Amino acid sequence: MGLCKQLWFWGVEPHCKKIVKAGDKDLDGQLDFEEFVHYLQDHEKKLRLVFKSLDKKNDGRIDAQEITQSLRDLGVKISEQQAEKILKSMDKNGTMTIDWNEWRDYHLLHPVENIPEIILYWKHSTIFDVGENLTVPDEFTVEERQTGMWWRHLVAGGGAGAVSRTCTAPLDRLKVLMQVHASRSNNMCIVGGFTHMIREGGPKSLWRGNGINVLKIAPESAIKFMAYEQIKRFIGTDQEMLGIHERLVAGSLAGVIAQSSIYPMEVLKTRMALRKTGQYSGMLDCAKNILSKEGMAAFYKGYIPNMLGIIPYAGIDLAVYETLKNTWLQRYAVNSADPGVFVLLACGTISSTCGQLASYPLALVRTRMQAQASVEGAPEVTMRGLFKHILKTEGAFGLYRGLAPNFMKVIPAVSISYVVYENLKMTLGVQSR
């Protein structure tokens, strides 16, 4: 007898497709006994974490007051009558409390793919801004969207990104210089790069290109968020929060749309970072100069490698984050689903670093294409031609020029983003999730 037919006897036949999808490890469209047992064990683990998080009194039972308080902590307000209605749906013995057995029996064969307590703690948030801004957009609950709290999160995230990028701008400019100018004959090091920048334009020159890098945060975040919401509707999922595969597809497409909209600002940022003292009077002068000498097409140089870089970045970033999250939950989550700030920051930092490492050669080629006209004697080459040229003249190592300052800025950028984000949320009256 097939699984769905068996589930029909248990009264959960409508959920059979979700159970098969959640437990089908070999992707053959069916569940064998081993996969089904593994699904039950994994799902029971998550259910126990949520039960312990809801059991505020630690007495092994959940009452209406605990449900009300737990949902209020997540930003969802319900009445006492609504809480009692939730209890009655699971309460078998009429005590108006739920013990572990009642909780498990009710939920075990009802696959709640996005258990709110775990999802809201573990959501890969936009606070992890390392200056690349290729991450999958944040997701908001129905309550946050209805109350308008979502825009406060975006404002807090944008402000945190602006501060962190400004603090790490010298490292970002050094990375661009090393990507464009470093070679076997000109082996620019970190100390030598900083010395060169200060000698050429003084300490202030360390922040060249930062203005446009900060200005593009707001439009890119807004466009990405709106595109992400529309793509979620187009996918047609009935889940409030998307699964990892849906998030990857929707996030990558939203990233492509957002990057396409603000890409001229990316080119301006690179040109401003590479400019010499007195070359341009400002961003507008730089834009006019590029337009008059190179035409509108110059604002889209490096567009293709930039778009291609979004897929490995977002894919590996999410995959590593999910792997680290699940590993932590399986090994160390005993009494609560809350991993704590340190674990969240560590997972975000490591996953973002891995994503950057995978997409870095594409980012380097993009930057060199953006900078072609600003480098004297630089030939007009295609993405493929530039890859071949770098591999031929510099070897595989040439595709990772500037990687050291790029990685040096990750930890301070994430740390600064988090601190500023939390303080801005408090100022704007946003409850921590």
Side-chain angles (χ1 to χ4, degrees):
M1 183 182 293
L3 174 64
C4 287
K5 289 183 180 179
Q6 294 181 47
L7 292 177
W8 182 82
F9 285 104
W10 295 332
V12 291
E13 186 270 339
H15 302 287
C16 65
K17 290 182 179 179
K18 291 183 179 180
I19 293 175
V20 171
K21 183 179 178 182
D24 185 16
K25 300 298 181 183
D26 55 13
L27 302 178
D28 62 354
Q30 299 180 8
L31 277 186
D32 56 31
F33 180 75
E34 186 178 345
E35 287 175 328
F36 187 54
V37 171
H38 184 272
Y39 162 78
L40 291 177
Q41 291 174 340
D42 184 60
H43 197 55
E44 184 172 345
K45 167 86 173 181
K46 294 176 182 177
L47 291 174
R48 184 173 286 280
L49 286 172
V50 180
F51 182 84
K52 289 184 177 181
S53 295
L54 293 172
D55 184 16
K56 304 291 185 183
K57 300 174 185 176
N58 294 317
D59 58 359
R61 292 183 173 276
I62 301 172
D63 57 28
Q65 184 181 2
E66 287 172 320
I67 289 179
T68 304
Q69 182 59 48
S70 296
L71 290 176
R72 186 178 290 118
D73 292 342
L74 293 172
V76 181
K77 296 180 180 179
I78 62 171
S79 65
E80 185 177 341
Q81 289 75 18
Q82 289 173 315
E84 290 176 355
K85 187 176 181 181
I86 293 173
L87 277 176
K88 287 179 181 177
S89 67
M90 292 179 269
D91 182 24
K92 291 182 178 180
N93 53 18
T95 60
M96 286 306 291
T97 60
I98 308 166
D99 60 24
W100 160 241
N101 290 329
E102 289 172 323
W103 174 267
R104 180 196 58 200
D105 293 345
Y106 181 83
H107 287 291
L108 194 57
L109 289 173
H110 292 73
V112 184
E113 294 179 359
N114 297 302
I115 300 173
E117 183 80 358
I118 295 176
I119 290 297
L120 289 176
Y121 274 129
W122 280 105
K123 194 160 49 174
H124 198 172
S125 178
T126 49
I127 63 170
F128 302 122
D129 188 337
V130 292
E132 298 297 328
N133 208 19
L134 297 174
T135 52
V136 173
D138 209 344
E139 290 185 81
F140 300 99
T141 63
V142 173
E143 180 81 8
E144 288 170 330
R145 289 197 290 268
Q146 290 177 345
T147 60
M149 199 62 70
W150 63 271
W151 70 262
R152 299 188 188 187
H153 280 285
L154 289 182
V155 170
V163 174
S164 70
R165 291 184 189 198
T166 300
C167 292
T168 58
L171 286 167
D172 193 60
R173 189 186 176 214
L174 177 61
K175 177 195 73 174
V176 173
L177 288 173
M178 292 177 73
Q179 285 178 329
V180 175
H181 296 299
S183 63
R184 280 178 175 170
S185 59
N186 177 27
N187 193 17
M188 183 184 294
C189 64
I190 293 174
V191 176
F194 277 124
T195 303
H196 167 76
M197 286 189 287
I198 294 172
R199 282 178 181 172
E200 194 277 329
K204 188 178 178 181
S205 68
L206 297 175
W207 278 266
R208 282 180 186 167
N210 182 60
I212 192 75
N213 198 30
V214 169
L215 281 176
K216 69 185 179 71
I217 292 175
E220 185 173 18
S221 298
I223 294 169
K224 188 186 291 184
F225 169 71
M226 289 186 290
Y228 188 66
E229 290 299 307
Q230 291 301 316
I231 293 167
K232 280 171 63 176
R233 292 192 184 97
F234 180 76
I235 291 175
T237 178
D238 58 352
Q239 296 292 327
E240 182 181 329
M241 303 288 183
L242 298 183
I244 181 171
H245 299 297
E246 289 88 355
R247 287 193 74 200
L248 174 58
V249 173
S252 296
L253 289 175
V256 168
I257 293 170
Q259 285 274 297
S260 298
S261 303
I262 59 93
Y263 192 74
M265 298 177 78
E266 292 279 356
V267 176
L268 273 178
K269 177 236 175 183
T270 299
R271 295 293 182 90
M272 293 291 286
L274 292 170
R275 81 184 191 274
K276 296 178 181 178
T277 302
Q279 187 175 357
Y280 307 118
S281 60
M283 286 182 284
L284 289 178
D285 183 49
C286 179
K288 288 178 182 178
N289 193 282
I290 295 172
L291 188 61
S292 62
K293 291 183 177 180
E294 305 170 56
M296 191 64 192
F299 287 103
Y300 286 90
K301 285 184 176 179
Y303 176 81
I304 294 176
N306 187 71
M307 294 302 114
L308 292 176
I310 290 175
I311 298 172
Y313 185 102
I316 291 176
D317 189 15
L318 268 180
V320 172
Y321 191 81
E322 288 291 314
T323 301
L324 293 173
K325 173 192 75 173
N326 290 330
T327 300
W328 189 93
L329 282 172
Q330 293 295 331
R331 292 186 180 181
Y332 305 109
V334 179
N335 296 318
S336 173
D338 182 3
V341 171
F342 178 76
V343 176
L344 274 175
L345 290 177
C347 289
T349 302
I350 294 170
S351 63
S352 180
T353 300
C354 291
Q356 287 189 74
L357 184 62
S359 63
Y360 194 82
L362 286 164
L364 181 137
V365 168
R366 173 205 66 193
T367 303
R368 288 202 182 183
M369 291 179 73
Q370 290 173 342
Q372 277 175 359
S374 65
V375 180
E376 293 183 10
E380 189 78 17
V381 293
T382 61
M383 178 184 74
R384 186 176 179 182
L386 196 51
F387 265 115
K388 286 184 176 180
H389 175 74
I390 294 172
L391 288 172
K392 183 179 179 180
T393 59
E394 305 176 49
F397 180 77
L399 294 171
Y400 289 90
R401 299 281 181 193
L403 188 64
N406 189 61
F407 278 178
M408 285 173 65
K409 73 175 185 175
V410 171
I411 293 178
V414 169
S415 304
I416 294 167
S417 288
Y418 178 78
V419 172
V420 176
Y421 181 75
E422 289 299 313
N423 280 279
L424 282 176
K425 281 204 306 180
M426 290 176 60
T427 303
L428 293 169
V430 178
Q431 279 189 328
S432 293
R433 298 170 182 176

